[in-house]
Each structure stands twice: as structure tokens, then as C-alpha cells.
Amino acid sequence: MRIYLFIAAVAGGVTYLLTPLIRHIAIEIGAVGEVRARDVHTVPTPRMGGLGMLIGFTVAMLFASRIPFIEGLFAQSHQAWVILAGAIMISLLGMADDLWDLDWMLKLAGQLLISVFVAWGGLQIISLPLGSLVTASPSLSMAITAFLIVASINAVNFVDGLDGLASGIVAIGGIAFAIYSYIIARSSPSYASMATLIDIAMVGMCVGFILHNWHPAKLFMGDSGSMLLGYLITCASIVMTGRLDPASIHTSIYLPVFMPILLPMLVLFLPILDMCLAIVRRLSKGQSPMHPDRMHLHHRMLRIGHTVQGAVLILWGWASLIAFGSIMILFFKAQYVLIGFLIASALLTVATMYPYLKHRIPEIREENAISGTDAQHASVGRARGDKTRGGR
């Protein structure tokens, strides 16, 4: 565990120290986000913070490859280097978008090509939960893997709309996955786990970046960062769950929560939900799925009265509930997890709706008071009318 904490500290420290330099470079080369109608920030802010995150992750992985406890993971296969190569490529694609605002179809094509490259390099889901764990064909494995990576990349990209939101949600998911993969790895002769290593390094770089990205942000991660986060957390989940041996796994125990296709969706539930809602909303209006708007979950939070920091913290709370709830069900009785989940959901619901209720309840009372006064006046008027008619 201490070695993993050291790796996280390396990733976080390098990211934190390099981010001010990256900010200066972004300003010099013109990677500055102008204020658009859908944006929350009110002043132009440098982008391309993902470059600092990439360097932090890369340095952490290079350190890990020289640590005796972990170096065997790098010697056994080239999977770690394939993942790192994909991370570099996806960040470069994001940097190009930060600089030149690439067409969404071109960006999507680049994401797909990189995902296929990574799948071709050995990062694949080979087992599918079809009643039992069934080994998929190589072509189907590559297709599913590429789809998951592209979907996660864009889900994190969609939710990256408030300072610290995307990096915090991914860090929370990374912590949940790291705990899970570490516990699973303890059953093997060596505790070393590539999934845990990727998650821990990713969490470290997220924390290092949040220190500069908390509202009001000095630097945005841009697509170079959001795409990198979506890519890494999916790679970690595929490493952990994608190579289950159908002959050695008791599916009645693992299948409900250990499905390779569902694990990334559980951890990235909020980004994926936001992405799905946005796609449906835009297609129903006859717009492109990538057409920007101000109807994301975080925009709705601000609209009902939350501050930027408050909205981010509450969304972090929901992400924690879903990510840790999906993991805890493996280690605790389902009824206890359900009770805790319902209590936490009730508290988060109150916190989410509090600004709306705070303003809405007085309005309702005022409307009721006005309605009561009008009804009283009308009653008095009818009484006077009756007396007048009676006198005649």
C-alpha cells in the first residue's frame, strides 16, 4: 500500500508543480478558452491543463517500472506501455482540439482510431456475461473495448463544465476502483496490480490538478485532460475485469457486479447519464449530438440556485454514493448497503433541492396568502351583494 501511495504522490506532485508552467505555455501559444454563451466562467481562461496531468501520469508510471514490487507488471507484458502510448496520443488529440477547436467528427474519428490501437495492442475484454462468462471473438472484443473507451472519453468530456467537477468525479471513481482491485489482487501471490497502479496514478494527478482548478480556476484541463481521464479510468477497469477466466470464476458470486461492461458505467454513472440525456435532448431537437447547450446537470444545479463550489461538492457526493455503493455490495450484506444507500440518497436529495425549495416555499406561501386574501374579498363582496338584493 505504501508503494501505491508513493506513486500517487509522485503523480500528484509532478502535476501540481508543472501546472503553472503549462498555464504560461498555454497563454503564450493561444490555448485560451474564450467566454462562450454556454460557459460558466466570465473571463478568458487558459486551457491545456491535461498536458501537466499527462506528464504527471507518465513520470509516475516510469517510477513504477523501476520499483521492485511493481516492475514485474511491466516485464510480464507490454500492456502498460500500450496504455501509456494511448494516453499520450489521446492527450495530443485533446491538445489539438484545445488549440484549434477540431470538428467533432474528426475528433471522434481520432478517438476511435486510438481506442482500436489500444485494443489491438492487447487491452481487451475477452469475457462476456451471457448467462455465464463466455469468451468473445477477437474482433468482438476489440469492438466492445473501443466502444467503451470512446464512450467514457466523451462522457467525462461532457461533464467537464465546472471547476474541479470532472477531475473530482474521476478521482472518486479511481479511489473506489483502486480499493476494489487492491483487495482482489491480495488473493494472488503478488499484491501487484496494473489496474490499481493506473487508478492510483490517475487519482494522484487529479488531486494535483484540482489544487489549481478549484473555483475560480487558474487553468482548465481542456479536452487534453478530460479525454485523458475518461481513457485512463476505462483502461483500468478493462485491465481489472476484461480478462476473467470463464473456467475459474464462479459466476453466481461475481457476475452481478463484476461484469466488465457495467463496471465503468457504475463508476462514471453521472457523466454517462449526462451524456445520454444530452444526446437524446439534442437529437430530439434535430441538432448534432455534439451541439453545445446549457442543459447539462451542472448547469441545472446552478440554475436552481447552487454556487459553483456547492454544485461541485454535491455532484461529488452523488458520484461517491454510486461508485462506492457498487463496490461495497461485494464486501457487505446487500440489505446493509441498501439501507446506507437510501439514507445517503435522501440526504443528497435534500442538499440538491435545498436552494430550489428555499426560494419556492416562500413563493408558494405568498401565492396562498394572496389567494386567501382574494377569496376573502370575494366572499365579502358576495355578502354585500346579498344584503343589497335583500333590501330591494
Side-chain angles (χ1 to χ4, degrees), residues 12-67:
V14 171
T15 302
Y16 176 77
L17 293 174
L18 283 181
T19 295
L21 176 61
I22 301 301
R23 180 179 185 276
H24 176 74
I25 294 174
I27 294 173
E28 290 295 322
I29 65 177
V32 178
E34 299 296 331
V35 179
R36 300 162 296 188
R38 70 178 186 273
D39 290 331
V40 175
H41 65 282
T42 56
V43 295
T45 305
R47 295 184 288 188
M48 214 169 72
L51 177 58
M53 301 168 73
L54 172 66
I55 296 173
F57 178 80
T58 302
V59 172
M61 293 293 283
L62 293 176
F63 263 87
S65 68
R66 296 290 182 246
I67 297 176

Side-chain angles (χ1 to χ4, degrees), residues 181-236:
S181 59
Y182 179 76
I183 292 174
I184 296 298
R186 292 180 65 181
S187 62
S188 63
S190 172
Y191 286 8
S193 166
M194 180 60 67
T196 307
L197 174 62
I198 295 171
D199 280 324
I200 286 296
M202 180 185 66
V203 170
M205 74 180 193
C206 285
V207 173
F209 182 73
I210 287 175
L211 297 176
H212 294 283
N213 188 236
W214 189 247
H215 185 77
K218 302 179 181 67
L219 178 73
F220 295 152
M221 69 171 65
D223 278 18
S224 58
S226 61
M227 289 166 56
L228 174 65
L229 293 181
Y231 166 82
L232 287 177
I233 196 168
T234 307
C235 286

Side-chain angles (χ1 to χ4, degrees), residues 321 325 329 332-345:
L321 176 62
I329 199 170
F332 299 96
K333 291 184 178 180
Q335 56 265 36
Y336 297 153
V337 176
L338 179 60
I339 292 171
F341 186 90
L342 292 176
I343 294 173
S345 296

